[in-house]
Amino acid sequence: MNKKQERKKIFKNRYALKTEELFQMRQKLQIEIRRQDREKFLVARRNYQKDSNPYNNDFKNEFYSNISKIPRCNNIKQLDGIRTSNTSSNIGLGEISLHNTLSISQQFYQLIEGLNSNCVEIQLISLSKFRKLLSGESIISIQEIIDNYAIPIFVQFLLSKNVDLRYEAAWILSNISTGSTEQIQAIINAGVLPIFTELLNKTTDMRLQNHILWALGNIAIDNPQFRELILREGNLGVSCQCILDANVQPCSVLRTMSWTLSSIYRGHITDSDWSQISSTFPILTQLINLKDDEILYNVCWALSYLGENNHIEDVINLGVSPHLVNLMVHVNNEVQTAALHCVRSIVSGNDSQRQVIIDCGILTVLKSLLINTKSSIRKDACFILSHITTGNIDQIEHVIHVGLISLAINLMANSDFQTQRETCYSVCNAIRRCYNRPELTICIVRQGCIQPLVNMLNYMDNDIICVVLKAINSILQLEKTLAVENNCKNQCTLLIEEIGGMDRITELQNHENDEIRLLAYNIIDKYFAEEDEGYESELNQSFDLNGQNRFLNKQFNYQSSNSIDNVEIIGVKI
């Protein structure tokens, strides 16, 4: 490799990554963005809200007035381990709760004293204050709690007979579960998972169920090994079904449960986990029928993760395909995007799986999505269409009859590059799949695909250039066959040469990519070699005095209609 080629190779990392690697990078980036959004949402959710306060104002006022009378302990020892339950309860919690004159470290250790108190009211206010310091402004870090051995204390409060103590402890642990992998490992080591599973099966307190589900979702999404530990602890499907049976209408706990399930489905699913995860499938079929945007959003992502894990058939067997197709035109943009991603994973399967989606009316829905004003929606719709056009010939014929190819050709000529790229795949896949059905290929050509395809050769994308050259080769091969049969000239070569396609293909003979170079050479050698001296004169004669190409009107008989009946090309009726 000479120096010039080396400079080209390193320039902006050109051609360094393959399409599959780029796709994986986009997937990782998308997951990271969703994780960051979820973390922002968690920070907001952790804040103490008046609606979720288990204590009324009268109780608070009376409690604060009484607790402020408790004498303050002036000498507080630094904790070297877990405090015992017989620790003196004479501490200044009233001072802590009402004033901020103490340092953070003093407040922290006084709160630990309060947790080990024999007084339920003091324990309750200590937990509440701990939760506020941890979540509101992150005054106390998660690592400080771990370093001072406070997590086992919170876990023990989950076993308390007092509902409010269990609730506050679960809230604190759900906040801690948003930490790093090492911090999550600390609460797992404290034995929180068996207790969470038991409480989820027994409790009817929606507040407690909500925070347990949040914590389990946070733990599962962090590490596949943690997810496996959760699944081993009990039958998650039974627990979720009980919660769903008790809450027919959409509510906070069902929204949290849908998010938890989507977190559990994310990532590679092992055979050992599959039996437990599959037990939650009936939950999804019930949740997708609820009229709640957040639940629908989470369910669509859960199904999308299943599809990406090569469980497309399981998604189809759930019978949710009609719902997913309907959600592709949902008024909520987030739900619509999640549904599009889910359908993308399904149509990437085999022909029978694609046919299920087609039978649900997806082609009609795609017609409206391809003219959507949002480029991201159009791109996802084009991506789905490009997978459908990899199907069998009957599916492609259906696509052509509906009019999607003409819309795709229009987008390929007048849209942003990402949309052009996906529509180019759609058109090229259809052309190559229709090789044994000349009437279908001719119908696509009649709709004006050659000009946009030639324009796509100017983009610096090796994959696009390859698929376009293969599509052009298929068109020219078909034209050549028909021209020989009818003793006519291959007129597509004239059109491609007229619009500068031959010059561009000639340049590609010197391309650095071997496949592109070979494809370009074969096209020029087979279809653009001058066979007689009258070739150039015939090209000139194809234009009238007004500069109009008579070939377009006479030979190809281009029309705006999408019908493929009575197609006339080179004097042959098909």
Side-chain angles (χ1 to χ4, degrees):
M1 182 183 295
N2 56 38
K3 292 183 178 180
K4 183 178 180 181
Q5 289 175 328
E6 290 179 354
R7 287 197 299 271
K8 281 186 177 181
K9 185 176 180 180
I10 64 176
F11 179 67
K12 291 186 178 180
N13 213 20
R14 188 180 179 190
Y15 310 127
L17 297 174
K18 297 181 179 179
T19 304
E20 183 63 26
E21 294 174 345
L22 291 171
F23 175 75
Q24 292 177 359
M25 289 174 62
R26 289 196 299 271
Q27 289 291 95
K28 291 179 181 178
L29 179 61
Q30 187 181 56
I31 291 174
E32 181 61 27
I33 291 173
R34 288 196 71 221
R35 183 183 180 88
Q36 292 175 2
D37 292 341
R38 175 58 61 182
E39 288 176 352
K40 292 179 182 178
F41 181 71
L42 284 173
V43 171
R45 187 180 179 85
R46 288 184 212 155
N47 291 332
Y48 187 80
Q49 300 177 7
K50 183 177 180 179
D51 294 340
S52 60
N53 186 5
Y55 326 113
N56 57 42
N57 291 330
D58 294 335
F59 174 82
K60 284 173 59 179
N61 295 335
E62 180 181 359
F63 175 70
Y64 280 141
S65 62
N66 292 333
I67 200 169
S68 61
K69 300 176 184 179
I70 300 177
R72 178 180 173 183
C73 180
N74 295 322
N75 298 321
I76 302 176
K77 298 180 180 180
Q78 184 170 345
L79 297 180
D80 294 325
I82 302 175
R83 292 282 186 167
T84 59
S85 59
N86 60 358
T87 306
S88 174
S89 62
N90 295 330
I91 58 174
L93 283 179
E95 191 82 18
I96 297 174
S97 302
L98 300 177
H99 305 288
N100 284 324
T101 56
L102 298 177
S103 66
I104 299 300
S105 59
Q106 288 177 316
Q107 291 189 59
F108 184 90
Y109 296 123
Q110 286 193 1
L111 290 174
I112 293 292
E113 293 282 353
L115 294 179
N116 290 292
S117 170
N118 293 324
C119 178
V120 174
E121 287 80 3
I122 294 178
Q123 292 175 337
L124 192 59
I125 198 63
S126 297
L127 284 171
S128 177
K129 184 66 177 179
F130 243 124
R131 185 246 306 158
K132 292 178 184 179
L133 291 176
L134 179 65
S135 61
E137 300 177 359
S138 297
I139 297 175
I140 297 178
S141 68
I142 295 175
Q143 194 58 46
E144 285 182 283
I145 292 177
I146 295 174
D147 293 341
N148 287 280
Y149 308 100
I151 286 183
I153 301 177
F154 298 141
V155 173
Q156 288 301 313
F157 274 114
L158 292 175
L159 302 174
S160 172
K161 296 182 179 180
N162 187 292
V163 176
D164 294 329
L165 290 177
R166 293 202 303 265
Y167 167 70
E168 289 288 350
W171 194 337
I172 292 173
L173 290 169
S174 68
N175 290 343
I176 295 174
S177 68
T178 63
S180 64
T181 302
E182 292 75 16
Q183 292 167 344
I184 294 176
Q185 184 67 59
I187 63 175
I188 292 176
N189 293 340
V192 73
L193 292 183
I195 299 175
F196 272 164
T197 304
E198 183 180 0
L199 286 175
L200 200 60
N201 291 328
K202 293 182 178 180
T203 186
T204 57
D205 185 359
M206 290 178 57
R207 303 173 307 159
L208 185 58
Q209 290 172 342
N210 200 29
H211 285 293
I212 290 175
L213 288 170
W214 270 108
L216 292 177
N218 289 332
I219 293 171
I221 203 174
D222 186 85
N223 193 309
Q225 295 179 350
F226 296 163
R227 178 185 64 184
E228 187 175 351
L229 293 175
I230 293 173
L231 295 174
R232 286 178 181 176
E233 288 299 334
N235 196 330
L236 186 62
V238 174
S239 303
C240 292
Q241 186 63 57
C242 292
I243 296 173
L244 188 58
D245 292 340
N247 302 278
V248 181
Q249 298 299 322
C251 58
S252 176
V253 68
L254 293 185
R255 297 184 186 99
T256 306
M257 184 171 68
S258 64
W259 175 80
T260 301
L261 291 176
S262 70
S263 302
I264 289 175
Y265 292 165
R266 183 180 297 182
H268 177 67
I269 300 175
T270 62
D271 294 337
S272 59
D273 294 343
W274 180 247
S275 59
Q276 285 291 337
I277 288 180
S278 59
S279 68
T280 62
F281 286 171
I283 310 298
L284 297 180
T285 59
Q286 298 174 67
L287 290 176
I288 202 171
N289 289 301
L290 299 179
K291 306 294 184 181
D292 185 90
D293 290 353
E294 186 175 345
I295 291 176
L296 293 175
Y297 172 80
N298 290 324
V299 170
C300 287
W301 275 113
L303 294 170
S304 178
Y305 296 142
L306 284 177
E308 292 170 1
N309 278 306
N310 299 320
H311 293 288
I312 299 175
E313 195 65 32
D314 295 290
V315 175
I316 291 176
N317 291 337
L318 292 177
V320 296
S321 300
H323 293 286
L324 294 173
V325 172
N326 292 333
L327 292 176
M328 288 171 61
V329 290
H330 197 276
V331 293
N332 186 298
N333 185 55
E334 291 185 347
V335 175
Q336 183 183 27
T337 302
L340 285 168
H341 275 269
C342 186
V343 174
R344 280 176 55 170
S345 64
I346 295 176
V347 297
S348 63
N350 55 43
D351 288 351
S352 62
Q353 293 165 346
R354 276 188 287 269
Q355 189 61 47
V356 172
I357 294 295
I358 292 175
D359 292 339
C360 294
I362 190 175
L363 298 184
T364 304
V365 173
L366 287 178
K367 287 190 70 174
S368 63
L369 295 180
L370 288 176
I371 58 175
N372 195 286
T373 56
K374 296 181 180 178
S375 60
S376 59
I377 300 296
R378 292 198 306 270
K379 187 185 72 172
D380 285 338
C382 292
F383 188 93
I384 293 172
L385 180 60
S386 68
H387 277 287
I388 293 176
T389 53
T390 62
N392 57 51
I393 194 67
D394 294 331
Q395 294 171 346
I396 296 174
E397 184 176 3
H398 196 179
V399 169
I400 295 174
H401 274 297
V402 171
L404 289 174
I405 292 297
S406 61
L407 288 175
I409 291 173
N410 182 57
L411 286 174
M412 186 165 55
N414 307 290
S415 189
D416 60 280
F417 173 69
Q418 291 298 328
T419 303
Q420 286 178 327
R421 192 175 190 275
E422 296 303 333
T423 53
C424 182
Y425 277 116
S426 302
V427 175
C428 292
N429 289 341
I431 290 172
R432 296 177 62 195
R433 290 279 182 171
C434 293
Y435 182 77
N436 293 326
R437 291 281 299 275
E439 71 275 15
L440 297 181
T441 303
I442 293 169
C443 184
I444 297 174
V445 173
R446 286 174 55 225
Q447 296 179 55
C449 69
I450 292 181
Q451 177 73 68
L453 287 176
V454 171
N455 292 341
M456 294 300 293
L457 293 175
N458 295 317
Y459 286 107
M460 306 301 291
D461 187 315
N462 287 359
D463 292 330
I464 286 295
I465 294 174
C466 280
V467 297
V468 170
L469 289 176
K470 291 176 182 178
I472 290 176
N473 183 73
S474 297
I475 293 172
L476 294 178
Q477 180 63 42
L478 175 62
E479 288 291 324
K480 184 176 181 179
T481 302
L482 295 176
V484 170
E485 292 176 356
N486 296 275
N487 195 24
C488 299
K489 202 71 175 178
N490 189 341
Q491 300 295 341
C492 273
T493 59
L494 300 177
L495 179 60
I496 293 175
E497 185 173 2
E498 170 199 338
I499 61 179
M502 189 188 75
D503 295 335
R504 177 56 182 155
I505 296 174
T506 302
E507 293 175 1
L508 292 175
Q509 290 181 341
N510 299 318
H511 199 276
E512 58 187 15
N513 184 281
D514 294 337
E515 184 179 7
I516 292 175
R517 187 166 58 248
L518 182 60
L519 285 168
Y521 174 80
N522 289 336
I523 291 174
I524 294 297
D525 182 59
K526 289 182 180 180
Y527 311 112
F528 291 95
E530 295 185 3
E531 298 178 357
D532 55 66
E533 297 178 355
Y535 179 80
E536 184 174 354
S537 62
E538 185 174 342
L539 174 63
N540 294 330
Q541 291 173 5
S542 66
F543 292 86
D544 57 23
L545 295 176
N546 296 323
Q548 299 296 321
N549 192 331
R550 293 195 297 267
F551 160 72
L552 294 180
N553 297 323
K554 293 183 178 180
Q555 301 292 348
F556 266 92
N557 189 22
Y558 280 89
Q559 299 174 6
S560 59
S561 172
N562 293 321
S563 174
I564 62 173
D565 299 327
N566 300 323
V567 178
E568 188 175 334
I569 175 170
I570 319 178
V572 180
K573 184 166 287 190
I574 299 174

